[in-house]
């Protein structure tokens, strides 16, 4: 880790405890009690999956890289910790977050291209780049211009040689990092804590056997393996897992973070198994139409 | 309602504009006083919209986004402090701490009759503080890319502050080669040889070349390599900066493959040999050491010896290692700070004006345009001072492509 993250606005202003995050969200809900009651929405984790699907749909035809997509996901998550979703047009917020993230990650897209893709993948009537331009002001202002995101991908790249990850393991760790953006983890843990969890899971899950499909049961087993490694402490039964555990102890990484992170992922994979876009699309469309937020 | 952007802060409620400082490709800079409980002086940079007189939101330029993000993230005593960023009705304002001076203005003052050299102690303190700021930027993976005297601020208390992060970029794992995006960076006189030779993968070493040029300019009061910029041709091809390269070679001599192993793989390497043809000065360059000795003599620094009033042989050694052709051999900012130049006569002062009897004039501001909100065409030079207050400065930078 470089010193960069420790003094970053990400750590200082955008990393919360679970309690803090719950409190922030409760505050917004309380302030918008009427709206919240009038327009029920599915579980937040379902919405995260839906947003991810929508962002990917916009990003794919434009050839936008994963890291810019990840940055956009973090922007959306930050934004909705400060602004009640029912006061916004999510289609516009997502398109704008993607547009802004591409500039920040040095792969800029023309605003017209982003608008075209947004129109293509949402049944939406906003048809003017000035809408995205204006929403950009709102996003930046809500985030206090704190736009630099430290991603676990860099930590993964730094650590992969240290732990001698195979190509498959590295790919699996990478895809686990991709998945964590669908949870609150980017607002809860540091990038290197996420990276080490992803590495740990990749090593335990043995990607050559399971392919790159991660599921809840598999991750739950991995958690078991972590518990064993801690208990046997230096028995050398599971060499690489042990090495990871030792390394975490040496580098003062709280192993509870890894456990917490793993559990969050388990619950994501559980929910994902029964998820459908429809359950999110309709309630969102309802409040957007009813409130004229797409005008 | 979320039907529009609601300004939370208004620039005119928080600041009183007292004058206009300068304008450039990015927009305009104003001097302001705090208002409604806010005290002190500030410099407010107003970005111009992409198109002049833009009445609609059209998306913020990538360089403005970069500058906003970096200014928010960075905090160091030798980097200009960002007080706040105000987004108000289609306009972006970055509010900075105010600095009374900058190096361009200080150099200019010393050039005025009776021409007098900048005291050696002042130069040492300036350079030391500049490098401290640069170490911080580079440790945080930020390349400045546009260091030049006009961008180095100095407060009335003698604190040096690196300013204008408008071209700065994060250099870890760039998604695209850093060459794409902005085709040309760094004001030509301070541009590193690897950039002149078309390098696509340049490094923070470009900032250290610029520091070397600034060091030389502080000593001699003139830009050391004062080339003429070749303009972009109609095909938007970036031309080889022949004249600038010539200026460097006339003093430094031709770069060689022995000293700079990757020289021959530079895209414009072929241009280099054509440069030498028929120019006698290439075979008998002045040499940096001669340049240095001439410079100290012309500017009447007291005789060398062990006096802190003379930049001495350590000064030459530092300059030589900053103006190293091979970017891999050039000193890093950290190495430069460790150079004996900074320890030979005790620690450099934290106030570059300490023991100096020179009174520098305060920054000129123009009164012609004091309305930051409505000034009709931001970024146009309708009034006020030109981009840089010395005539004959080259154009700052080409617009991003």
């Amino acid at each position: 880790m470089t010193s960069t993250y420790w003094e970053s606005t990400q750590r200082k202003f955008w990393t919360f405890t679970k309690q803090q995050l719950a409190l922030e969200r409760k505050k917004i809900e309380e302030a918008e009690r009427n709206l919240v009651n009038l327009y029920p929405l599915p579980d937040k984790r379902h919405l995260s999956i839906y947003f991810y699907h929508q962002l990917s749909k916009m990003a794919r035809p434009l050839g936008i890289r994963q890291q810019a997509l990840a940055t956009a996901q973090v922007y959306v998550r930050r934004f909705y910790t400060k602004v009640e979703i029912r006061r916004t047009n999510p289609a516009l917020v997502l398109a704008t977050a993607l547009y802004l993230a591409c500039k920040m990650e040095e792969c800029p897209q023309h605003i017209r291209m982003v608008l075209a893709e947004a129109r293509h993948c949402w049944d939406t009537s906003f048809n003017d780049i000035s809408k995205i331009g204006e929403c950009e002001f709102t996003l930046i202002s809500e985030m206090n211009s704190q736009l630099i995101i430290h991603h676990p991908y860099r930590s993964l790249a730094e650590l992969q040689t240290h732990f001698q990850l195979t190509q498959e393991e590295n790919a699996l760790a990478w895809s686990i990092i991709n998945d964590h953006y669908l949870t609150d983890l980017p607002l809860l843990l540091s990038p290197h804590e996420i990276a080490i969890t992803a590495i740990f899971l990749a090593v335990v899950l043995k990607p050559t056997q399971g392919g790159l499909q991660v599921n809840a049961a598999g991750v739950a087993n991995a958690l078991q393996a972590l518990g064993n490694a801690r208990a046997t402490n230096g028995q050398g039964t599971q060499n690489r897992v042990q090495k990871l555990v030792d390394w975490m102890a040496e580098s003062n990484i709280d192993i509870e973070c890894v456990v917490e992170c793993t559990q969050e992922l388990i619950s994501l994979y559980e929910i994902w198994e029964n998820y459908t876009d429809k359950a999110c699309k309709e309630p969102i469309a309802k409040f957007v139409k009813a409130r004229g937020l797409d005008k | 309602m979320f039907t529009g952007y609601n300004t939370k802060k208004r620039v005119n409620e928080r600041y009183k504009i007292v004058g206009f400082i300068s304008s450039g490709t990015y927009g305009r800079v104003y001097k302001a006083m705090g208002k409604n409980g806010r005290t002190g002086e500030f410099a407010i940079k107003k970005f111009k919209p992409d198109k002049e007189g833009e009445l609609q939101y059209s998306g913020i330029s990538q360089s403005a986004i970069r500058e906003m993000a970096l200014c928010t993230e960075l905090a160091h005593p030798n980097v200009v402090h960002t007080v706040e960023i105000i987004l108000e009705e289609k306009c972006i304002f970055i509010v900075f701490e105010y600095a009374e001076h900058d190096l361009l203005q200080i150099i200019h003052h010393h050039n005025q009759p009776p021409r007098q050299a900048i005291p050696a102690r002042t130069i040492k303190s300036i350079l030391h503080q500049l490098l401290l700021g640069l170490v911080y930027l580079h440790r945080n993976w930020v390349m400045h890319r546009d260091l030049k005297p006009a961008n180095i601020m100095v407060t009335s208390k003698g604190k040096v502050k690196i300013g204008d992060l408008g071209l700065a970029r994060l250099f870890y794992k760039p998604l695209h080669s850093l060459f794409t995006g902005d085709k040309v960076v760094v004001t030509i006189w301070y541009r590193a040889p690897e950039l002149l030779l078309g390098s696509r993968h340049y490094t923070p070493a470009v900032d250290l070349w610029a520091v070397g040029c600034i060091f030389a300019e502080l000593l001699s009061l003139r830009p050391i390599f004062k080339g003429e910029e070749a303009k972009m041709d109609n095909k938007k091809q970036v031309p080889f900066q022949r004249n600038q390269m010539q200026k460097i070679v006339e003093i430094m001599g031709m770069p060689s493959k022995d000293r700079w192993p990757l020289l021959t793989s530079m895209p414009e390497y072929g241009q280099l040999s054509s440069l030498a043809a028929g120019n006698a000065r290439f075979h008998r360059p002045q040499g940096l050491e001669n340049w240095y000795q001439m410079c100290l003599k012309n500017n009447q620094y007291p005789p060398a010896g062990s006096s802190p009033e003379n930049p001495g042989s350590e000064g030459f050694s530092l300059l030589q290692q900053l103006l190293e052709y091979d970017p891999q051999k050039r000193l890093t900012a950290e190495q430069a700070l460790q150079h004996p130049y900074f320890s030979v006569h005790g620690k450099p002062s934290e106030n570059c004006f300490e023991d100096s009897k020179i009174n520098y004039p305060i920054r000129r501001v123009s009164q012609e345009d004091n309305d930051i909100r409505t000034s009709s065409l931001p970024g146009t030079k309708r009034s006020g001072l030109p981009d840089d207050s010395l005539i004959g400065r080259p154009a700052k930078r080409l617009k991003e492509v």
Side-chain angles (χ1 to χ4, degrees):
Chain A
M1 270 317 277
T2 57
S3 62
T4 329
Y5 169 75
W6 298 104
E7 285 154 31
S8 67
T9 55
Q10 177 172 336
R11 196 183 77 84
K12 282 190 271 192
F13 303 111
W14 296 100
T15 305
F16 307 89
T17 65
K18 274 194 161 162
Q19 292 73 21
Q20 286 170 332
L21 199 55
L23 193 68
E24 286 301 310
R25 287 178 172 147
K26 196 153 176 241
K27 266 195 275 179
I28 309 176
E29 276 205 12
E30 292 301 330
E32 306 285 350
R33 201 21 81 197
N34 277 342
L35 276 181
V36 172
N37 291 339
L38 208 52
Y39 303 104
L41 284 175
D43 185 280
K44 214 170 37 54
R45 286 173 294 190
H46 283 108
L47 290 177
S48 296
I49 299 173
Y50 181 56
F51 289 165
Y52 166 67
H53 286 167
Q54 294 300 94
L55 282 170
S56 308
K57 262 192 239 170
M58 283 189 276
R60 203 168 301 124
L62 298 171
I64 292 169
R65 317 257 186 128
Q66 170 58 32
Q67 184 159 317
L69 185 66
T71 296
Q73 284 174 285
V74 176
Y75 288 170
V76 171
R77 194 169 295 277
R78 284 181 175 186
F79 182 69
Y80 284 135
T81 62
K82 296 187 83 178
V83 178
E84 164 54 39
I85 185 169
R86 295 162 184 87
R87 292 179 72 94
T88 71
N89 178 2
L92 179 59
V93 171
L94 264 60
T96 308
L98 190 62
Y99 169 62
L100 181 58
C102 286
K103 285 188 278 191
M104 229 16 255
E105 299 296 342
E106 301 293 345
C107 54
Q109 288 288 335
H110 198 282
I111 192 165
R112 291 194 186 282
M113 299 294 286
V114 177
L115 175 71
E117 286 310 323
R119 286 179 57 74
H120 190 248
C121 74
W122 300 78
D123 311 319
T124 185
S125 61
F126 74 88
N127 185 25
D128 192 342
I129 55 161
S130 72
K131 286 284 174 202
I132 294 179
E134 185 168 18
C135 185
E136 184 177 34
F137 268 55
T138 309
L139 271 182
I140 294 173
S141 167
E142 289 298 337
M143 291 194 283
N144 296 318
S145 310
Q146 291 149 356
L147 303 175
I148 295 176
I149 306 291
H150 295 264
H151 288 289
Y153 300 114
R154 242 174 92 205
S155 314
L156 173 62
E158 285 161 16
L159 291 172
Q160 64 170 327
T161 39
H162 183 82
F163 292 112
Q164 299 174 319
L165 298 187
T166 65
Q167 214 176 357
E168 290 81 12
E169 285 165 344
N170 192 48
L172 181 59
W174 178 274
S175 83
I176 291 169
I177 292 176
N178 294 351
D179 291 345
H180 101 284
Y181 292 105
L182 281 73
T183 71
D184 282 334
L185 289 168
L187 301 187
L188 298 172
L189 298 179
S190 69
H192 60 285
E193 286 165 335
I194 306 286
I196 199 76
T197 306
I199 291 173
F200 159 73
L201 288 175
V203 167
V204 176
L205 291 174
K206 298 196 185 70
T208 38
Q209 289 159 30
L212 285 184
Q213 281 303 317
V214 187
N215 59 43
V219 179
N221 287 337
L223 198 54
Q224 190 72 41
L226 179 64
N228 293 344
R230 289 170 79 186
T232 51
N233 200 9
Q235 298 297 303
T237 42
Q238 285 181 295
N239 258 327
R240 296 174 69 208
V241 177
Q242 196 63 56
K243 191 178 171 192
L244 271 157
V245 172
D246 295 346
W247 184 85
M248 281 187 253
E250 277 166 32
S251 30
N252 276 327
I253 291 180
D254 186 359
I255 208 152
E256 293 308 322
C257 287
V258 178
V259 175
E260 185 189 334
C261 184
T262 309
Q263 277 163 345
E264 199 70 43
L265 287 167
I266 294 174
S267 104
L268 167 70
Y269 294 129
E270 274 170 0
I271 284 177
W272 215 334
E273 279 159 26
N274 300 310
Y275 166 84
T276 60
D277 268 357
K278 199 163 166 253
C280 292
K281 192 176 169 183
E282 284 171 4
I284 288 177
K286 198 172 155 199
F287 76 75
V288 170
K289 285 254 152 30
R291 308 196 66 226
L293 295 170
D294 52 348
K295 295 292 176 291
Chain B
M1 278 303 291
F2 188 70
T3 44
Y5 172 67
N6 289 313
T7 303
K8 289 183 183 164
K9 303 187 267 192
R10 290 186 182 279
V11 74
N12 279 333
E13 281 169 14
R14 299 162 88 85
Y15 302 96
K16 178 185 188 300
I17 306 302
V18 295
F20 163 69
I21 297 174
S22 66
S23 71
T25 46
Y26 52 81
R28 300 165 79 80
V29 180
Y30 296 82
K31 181 177 179 180
M33 305 291 283
K35 196 162 138 175
N36 294 329
R38 229 162 264 95
T39 55
E41 296 172 315
F42 302 89
I44 304 183
K45 181 166 177 175
K46 177 186 187 179
F47 285 88
K48 72 170 179 185
D50 263 358
K51 291 175 206 132
E52 296 291 358
E54 191 70 66
L55 298 170
Q56 288 238 308
Y57 289 99
S58 57
I60 303 169
S61 75
Q62 197 188 6
S63 58
I65 295 278
R66 269 190 211 125
E67 186 168 359
M68 291 162 77
L70 287 172
C71 285
T72 307
E73 205 71 29
L74 300 172
H76 187 273
N78 299 113
V79 175
V80 171
H81 171 66
T82 301
V83 178
E84 61 176 338
I85 296 178
I86 297 177
L87 298 163
E88 181 183 344
E89 281 160 43
K90 305 176 191 73
C91 290
I92 299 167
F93 305 93
I94 304 188
V95 182
F96 298 104
E97 65 179 318
Y98 183 72
E100 197 60 79
H101 314 281
D102 57 61
L103 292 189
L104 182 62
Q105 183 212 54
I106 287 173
I107 292 165
H108 181 65
H109 181 68
H110 282 269
N111 264 313
Q112 298 301 306
R115 194 180 132 101
Q116 53 180 337
I118 304 177
R121 287 173 207 268
T122 302
I123 294 181
K124 187 174 290 190
S125 171
I126 288 171
L127 217 56
H128 191 248
Q129 297 187 56
L130 171 57
L131 285 165
L132 284 171
L134 203 55
V135 164
Y136 171 80
L137 291 181
H138 288 177
R139 273 197 194 145
N140 284 278
W141 307 91
V142 176
M143 264 192 279
H144 188 284
R145 307 201 303 167
D146 196 20
L147 287 178
K148 56 180 174 179
N151 283 346
I152 319 270
M153 307 297 147
V154 185
T155 69
S156 48
K157 296 198 167 105
K159 300 283 183 231
V160 175
K161 314 250 174 188
I162 299 175
D164 198 350
L165 293 167
L167 272 180
R169 275 174 80 167
L170 291 164
F171 60 85
Y172 57 78
K173 287 287 175 84
L175 291 175
H176 293 296
S177 141
L178 286 173
F179 189 75
T180 61
D182 6 55
K183 286 276 181 281
V184 180
V185 295
V186 183
T187 308
I188 185 158
W189 298 341
Y190 309 93
R191 198 175 291 171
E194 64 271 27
L195 294 183
L196 295 170
L197 293 174
S199 168
R200 273 145 214 273
H201 296 283
Y202 54 87
T203 61
V206 300
D207 287 339
L208 275 303
W209 179 273
V211 171
C213 297
I214 292 167
F215 186 17
E217 190 164 338
L218 290 169
L219 291 167
S220 79
L221 302 177
R222 292 202 180 88
I224 179 169
F225 309 125
K226 197 176 174 184
E228 275 165 42
E229 181 151 10
K231 297 290 175 215
M232 199 92 82
D233 65 18
N234 295 335
K235 290 177 219 139
K236 295 259 167 98
Q237 290 267 312
V238 182
F240 174 58
Q241 296 293 347
R242 175 175 299 274
N243 188 258
Q244 181 63 30
M245 197 68 217
Q246 267 172 6
K247 299 287 174 190
I248 295 173
V249 174
E250 283 171 13
I251 293 176
M252 307 290 300
M254 284 286 269
S256 75
K257 212 170 71 177
D258 294 341
R259 287 217 34 89
W260 184 3
L262 290 176
L263 174 66
T264 48
S265 52
M266 292 289 139
E268 305 280 15
Y269 174 65
Q271 300 270 11
L272 206 54
S273 44
S274 77
L275 211 73
N279 188 334
R281 288 172 80 177
F282 280 61
H283 304 291
R284 266 175 282 115
Q286 183 181 4
L288 189 62
E289 183 148 26
N290 282 335
W291 179 91
Y292 186 77
Q293 298 307 342
M294 287 286 285
C295 165
L296 296 194
K297 198 173 133 213
N298 288 343
N299 283 348
Q300 294 163 12
Y301 279 99
S306 58
S307 160
E309 308 306 326
N310 187 294
S313 55
E314 292 85 6
F316 169 67
S317 158
L318 175 61
L319 182 64
Q320 190 178 37
Q321 293 176 66
L322 290 169
L323 296 180
E324 165 65 55
Y325 271 125
D326 185 346
Q328 293 186 355
K329 293 204 184 94
R330 202 173 299 149
L331 291 184
T332 65
E334 274 179 48
Q335 289 165 342
L337 273 181
Q338 299 305 317
H339 193 279
Y341 170 69
F342 293 114
S343 50
V344 66
H345 297 293
K347 278 184 72 174
S349 172
E350 287 173 31
N351 167 4
C352 71
F353 300 139
E354 195 173 284
D355 297 332
S356 166
K357 289 178 191 71
I358 297 155
N359 273 320
Y360 295 95
I362 62 167
R363 191 179 289 285
R364 284 191 294 164
V365 297
S366 135
Q367 298 300 320
E368 286 170 55
D369 168 23
N370 272 2
D371 192 341
I372 195 167
R373 278 278 348 151
T374 57
S375 67
S376 57
L377 292 172
T380 55
K381 292 171 207 158
R382 191 166 54 91
S383 62
L385 310 173
D387 274 12
D388 287 325
S389 44
L390 280 183
I391 309 299
R393 293 266 147 184
K396 293 186 150 172
R397 57 175 78 135
L398 296 169
K399 242 191 122 169
E400 263 179 48
V401 188

